[in-house]
Amino acid sequence: MAFDLVQYFTEQIKLQKPQLLSQYSAEDRQHYFSEINALSLGRLITLWRKDDTRIYQEIHAQDHLYIQEIARHLTTSGKNESSLPKAELEQASTEILSLQFAELKQLDETGHFGQNGMRELLLGQIEHLSGQAGDWVWSTNELSELIGSQPVVTEELSLDESMKEFNQMINQQPDLHSETHHAADEVLQPEQPVWSKIAEPVVALIVLLILWNALQHIF
């Protein structure tokens, strides 16, 4: 299953667009965000199917006028049943589409997807979009196969759970620093005891004295 852009974009909208539709309650904002996110992402998938090369280029071009054109098309569609006023809907759609384009570009540059990888990523979102909005959304963005769809139940880990597993994996690894330090101590440990090096001059002096005394007796 492809990476869940639906949930990812929803979280990014809340993080990056705290003032968007702020005149509404938290519950209404969440509803509108989910609705517009599905509406715009679904439209990107439809446009990709029609001309993937063009959309791939537009993702990297980040052309505000092109993004605004998509938002206006969705807003003025006769099938659009959003309860938001048209002006607010178009503005919110433009901002969310701009965020989606920017995030897709960053994901592509970071992951080196290329056009084929981006195709798999975008087309893989159909499963994640299933049941996430009313049928009018799929009629408006022409993702007709999702009309009447139900949410797909998955067992994907949350961010917190993923981080816990990652931390556990790290904690189970050997303490490489301690092992390296121990190995270095073994390598650097002197082959002779330190006291033997200190005693060497004393022993040499005693030997010299013995030889000197012997010579005195001879002469």
Side-chain angles (χ1 to χ4, degrees):
M1 183 180 291
F3 175 67
D4 188 353
L5 286 176
V6 181
Q7 181 62 31
Y8 175 74
F9 285 155
T10 299
E11 295 301 322
Q12 291 303 312
I13 292 166
K14 289 188 289 186
L15 287 172
Q16 298 185 35
K17 303 289 183 180
Q19 300 303 317
L20 187 60
L21 301 178
S22 59
Q23 66 271 33
Y24 296 99
S25 67
E27 183 178 355
D28 286 342
R29 287 181 75 231
Q30 180 63 35
H31 170 73
Y32 290 136
F33 287 163
S34 297
E35 202 169 68
I36 298 172
N37 186 41
L39 182 66
S40 54
L41 180 56
R43 185 58 182 170
L44 283 178
I45 293 171
T46 301
L47 292 172
W48 183 279
R49 285 171 167 175
K50 292 179 179 179
D51 190 345
D52 55 353
T53 300
R54 166 77 186 279
I55 298 304
Y56 185 71
Q57 292 172 347
E58 292 293 348
I59 286 171
H60 284 272
Q62 302 285 300
D63 185 350
H64 180 72
L65 291 178
Y66 179 75
I67 294 171
Q68 196 172 40
E69 180 184 335
I70 298 175
R72 184 169 293 118
H73 173 83
L74 292 172
T75 302
T76 57
S77 170
K79 298 176 181 178
N80 192 314
E81 299 178 9
S82 174
S83 58
L84 277 172
K86 295 297 183 183
E88 292 181 6
L89 177 59
E90 182 174 338
Q91 180 187 0
S93 297
T94 301
E95 291 197 38
I96 289 175
L97 272 165
S98 296
L99 182 147
Q100 291 175 341
F101 269 68
E103 291 294 331
L104 286 171
K105 179 182 179 181
Q106 184 175 356
L107 287 170
D108 186 32
E109 291 175 345
T110 303
H112 305 288
F113 294 147
Q115 189 168 329
N116 290 333
M118 188 60 66
R119 177 186 298 109
E120 292 181 10
L121 179 63
L122 284 175
L123 298 184
Q125 300 311 305
I126 295 175
E127 189 171 5
H128 294 299
L129 285 167
S130 179
Q132 297 299 314
D135 286 348
W136 68 265
V137 170
W138 316 128
S139 297
T140 303
N141 61 24
E142 299 179 48
L143 212 57
S144 57
E145 68 263 44
L146 289 181
I147 294 176
S149 64
Q150 299 296 321
V152 176
V153 179
T154 62
E155 297 181 356
E156 294 183 10
L157 293 176
S158 68
L159 178 60
D160 288 341
E161 290 171 331
S162 299
M163 290 306 297
K164 285 179 182 178
E165 286 203 353
F166 178 78
N167 289 331
Q168 287 174 358
M169 179 184 69
I170 294 299
N171 292 333
Q172 288 171 358
Q173 298 300 317
D175 189 340
L176 297 179
H177 176 75
S178 297
E179 288 191 357
T180 303
H181 183 70
H182 179 66
D185 286 345
E186 290 181 350
V187 171
L188 296 175
Q189 184 178 358
E191 295 181 1
Q192 290 180 294
V194 175
W195 61 264
S196 66
K197 291 183 178 288
I198 298 173
E200 283 176 1
V202 177
V203 172
L205 181 59
I206 293 171
V207 171
L208 287 174
L209 288 173
I210 293 171
L211 290 174
W212 174 258
N213 289 330
L215 289 172
Q216 289 293 327
H217 289 301
I218 294 173
F219 296 103

